[in-house]
Amino acid sequence: TLVQIERGDIKTAAERTDPSTTGCSVWSQVCNTLFFWCTALLDFLMIILYALFTCVCCGCLACMMPDTEPEQKIWLAKLGLFFRPINHSLRADAIDRLALAFRDRYDVSGLPGDLDEAIVLYRKSLGLRPPTDQERDSTLNGLAFALRDRYGLSDSLEDLNEAIQLLKEALKLRPPGHPQRDASLSGLGGALSDRYDRSGSVKDLEE
């Protein structure tokens, strides 16, 4: 109508078929689509990075990667410990994981220094775990097995005696029905057998 023409509401045929106008509309749709997918991709990457960061902070990334080289497991465990500063409630767990990483490298390298480092770390972790700590038995067990391994290298009866004492303490925290009780019983039996071979004490054999 005349009113519409005066208002400019009716486009001419040339305007409706103007390539530049059509091109701008298509380009706008492309940009909107790209923006949507880029935003979705960034959200996905943020979720992945957050999950990795959480695993590192928890110190469990090395445990989630059992096929990782020992050096990498130690590095990851150290990184996890970095995010568990002094007085952090989960610092002992991170120290245990680092000690286990050194023990794993000892199994490959056979270097006494790795075993010594694991023992030092287990002692630090044990010092952070009161008698009521639910994970104290695991740290006791880890330290005992590391000491028994060192006894095999040094033939130090002091290490073996301490390992036996620690295993007995861990066993008290693992009553019948505990899923890890068998591991403590097996370790204690092996350590007592080692001491019997060394001292010939019938008491160790009977126990």
Side-chain angles (χ1 to χ4, degrees):
T1 64
L2 181 60
V3 175
Q4 289 177 320
I5 293 175
E6 289 177 352
R7 291 178 179 176
D9 294 338
I10 298 179
K11 296 182 179 178
T12 65
E15 290 175 328
R16 289 196 297 269
T17 58
D18 186 355
S20 62
T21 303
T22 304
C24 288
S25 177
V26 172
W27 179 246
S28 176
Q29 293 178 357
V30 170
C31 289
N32 288 335
T33 302
L34 287 175
F35 177 78
F36 170 79
W37 285 110
C38 286
T39 303
L41 180 60
L42 285 175
D43 289 341
F44 177 75
L45 289 176
M46 288 298 294
I47 292 173
I48 296 298
L49 289 175
Y50 176 77
L52 290 174
F53 177 77
T54 302
C55 288
V56 169
C57 288
C58 291
C60 62
L61 191 59
C63 299
M64 295 171 61
M65 303 171 66
D67 296 330
T68 305
E69 292 296 322
E71 289 77 11
Q72 294 175 347
K73 290 181 72 173
I74 289 175
W75 183 84
L76 289 171
K78 285 182 177 180
L79 188 61
L81 182 59
F82 175 78
F83 288 102
R84 294 288 185 261
I86 296 175
N87 296 328
H88 194 286
S89 59
L90 297 177
R91 183 172 174 83
D93 293 344
I95 295 175
D96 277 348
R97 292 189 182 97
L98 182 55
L100 180 59
F102 273 105
R103 278 191 63 196
D104 288 344
R105 191 169 73 174
Y106 164 75
D107 291 339
V108 176
S109 68
L111 295 176
D114 288 337
L115 200 55
D116 292 339
E117 185 66 24
I119 290 171
V120 170
L121 289 167
Y122 276 128
R123 292 191 191 282
K124 287 182 179 179
S125 175
L126 193 60
L128 297 175
R129 297 193 185 280
T132 56
D133 192 292
Q134 294 183 351
E135 297 297 327
R136 182 177 172 85
D137 60 313
S138 296
T139 303
L140 288 167
N141 225 51
L143 177 55
F145 275 89
L147 287 167
R148 187 185 173 194
D149 286 342
R150 191 167 70 178
Y151 165 75
L153 294 177
S154 64
D155 203 35
S156 169
L157 191 57
E158 181 179 353
D159 284 342
L160 185 57
N161 287 337
E162 184 180 2
I164 291 172
Q165 185 62 36
L166 292 169
L167 286 167
K168 287 181 178 180
E169 186 177 348
L171 193 60
K172 292 178 181 179
L173 299 175
R174 295 177 171 180
H178 192 284
Q180 299 298 324
R181 181 175 173 83
D182 289 345
S184 292
L185 285 170
S186 177
L188 179 57
L192 289 169
S193 178
D194 289 343
R195 192 164 68 177
Y196 168 77
D197 292 339
R198 172 73 178 272
S199 65
S201 172
V202 178
K203 181 180 178 181
D204 288 334
L205 188 61
E206 291 175 346
E207 189 174 354

